[in-house]
Amino acid sequence: MNDLFPAEDFDDWAADYDEDVETASSFPFDGYAQVLRLIVEKAAAGSGAAVMDLGIGTGNLAERFARQGCQIWGLDFSAQMLVRAASKLPGATLGQADLRAEWPQDFQRRYDAIVSAYTFHHFTLPEKAGLVLRLLQEHLAPGGRLVIGDVSFGNAKERDSLKLQLGDEWEDEYYWLADETSAAFAKQGIQTTYLQVSFCAGVFEFVKR
Ligand SMILES: C[S@@+](CC[C@H](N)C(=O)[O-])C[C@H]1O[C@@H](n2cnc3c(N)ncnc32)[C@H](O)[C@@H]1O
């Protein structure tokens, strides 16, 4: 795990995070509100459903599920992000952990929906694949949904054309490419559905065949 951005970087960002994403109309957060809306729609979690938000940050996605009467669990490796999430989500079970490592005991259960926004692009493709497989095998309840929204492109050509257009504004991270994801995950028996939401973001749903 050789992180481009360690937890301390997110601690430093926590105080300004909400303002940054709410006012964003450019790369990489263009479409942020639509991405969160589509995740909620695709997760289809009704009142009382157990929802896990991975990389919960300041709680913007989880808050939408809490308003629908869902029970919220959230993990994040940044203590300062979790402080903000806790203030928005009084009834939630929150924990500090690296998502790719062993989770704390309270989180070792199955969930009716597992969701995540703008977090997995910090992980390499093999890390994404390993974590998604673990989620489907060990943490998703029967009939549950796994929905992930993030910075993503249909393929490398689309990503590279934006990179060229943005020049110095581009920041290299492990952004999702829908075509390579679909091919790599299929080898593990995982079926991928993808919807592009803005020029730089989209929403994935994963199902174990
Ligand atoms: C860009 S923020 C997204 C926050 C929130 N999901 C949202 O959509 O607003 C990325 C979040 O992922 C968390 N994160 C990044 N890498 C992580 C890791 N390896 N384990 C746990 N959390 C991680 C960061 O601390 C941060 O809160």
Side-chain angles (χ1 to χ4, degrees), residues 68 71 80 88 91 102 107 143 163 171 183 186 190 200 203:
Q68 295 184 173
Q71 296 171 260
Q80 289 307 313
K88 291 182 195 170
E102 181 88 352
F107 296 83
K163 182 175 176 173
E171 199 164 66
I190 300 168
C200 60
V203 173

Side-chain angles (χ1 to χ4, degrees), residues 173-193:
E173 298 189 50
Y174 306 116
Y175 304 127
W176 294 84
L177 301 177
D179 63 349
E180 72 167 15
T181 299
S182 203
F185 284 28
K187 288 186 191 143
Q188 305 194 113
I190 300 168
Q191 191 182 316
T192 301
T193 312

Side-chain angles (χ1 to χ4, degrees), residues 1 3 5-7 10-11 13 17-18 21 29 32 36 53-61 75-78 81 97-100 116-123:
M1 294 179 205
D3 291 328
F5 297 97
F10 291 98
D11 286 340
W13 192 10
Y17 182 81
D18 283 352
V21 294
F29 285 111
Y32 179 79
L36 299 200
D53 186 350
L54 300 172
I56 190 168
T58 61
N60 292 337
L61 176 61
L75 286 172
D76 202 289
F77 70 0
S78 159
M81 287 285 189
D98 190 312
L99 301 173
R100 298 158 296 178
S116 182
Y118 293 90
T119 296
F120 275 63
H121 69 271
H122 298 296
F123 308 152

Side-chain angles (χ1 to χ4, degrees), residues 51-152:
V51 176
M52 162 60 101
D53 186 350
L54 300 172
I56 190 168
T58 61
N60 292 337
L61 176 61
E63 206 178 17
R64 292 172 182 243
F65 286 99
R67 272 190 236 125
Q68 295 184 173
C70 301
Q71 296 171 260
I72 307 297
W73 277 258
L75 286 172
D76 202 289
F77 70 0
S78 159
Q80 289 307 313
M81 287 285 189
L82 286 167
V83 166
R84 273 143 187 101
S87 71
K88 291 182 195 170
L89 301 159
T93 306
L94 301 178
Q96 188 176 8
D98 190 312
L99 301 173
R100 298 158 296 178
E102 181 88 352
W103 293 358
Q105 195 59 42
D106 286 1
F107 296 83
Q108 301 286 353
R109 51 160 291 161
R110 288 187 185 268
Y111 303 90
D112 300 308
I114 302 177
V115 296
S116 182
Y118 293 90
T119 296
F120 275 63
H121 69 271
H122 298 296
F123 308 152
T124 63
L125 184 61
E127 286 175 333
K128 288 183 181 85
L131 181 49
V132 165
L133 189 62
R134 176 153 68 101
L135 297 172
L136 291 168
Q137 288 178 332
E138 297 174 23
H139 293 293
L140 197 64
R145 305 229 175 135
L146 170 56
V147 186
I148 297 176
D150 206 344
V151 182
S152 55

Side-chain angles (χ1 to χ4, degrees), residues 20-41:
D20 286 356
V21 294
E22 274 155 21
T23 57
S25 57
S26 58
F27 176 80
F29 285 111
D30 184 80
Y32 179 79
Q34 293 100 298
V35 167
L36 299 200
R37 207 175 307 132
L38 186 58
I39 294 172
V40 173
E41 190 188 308

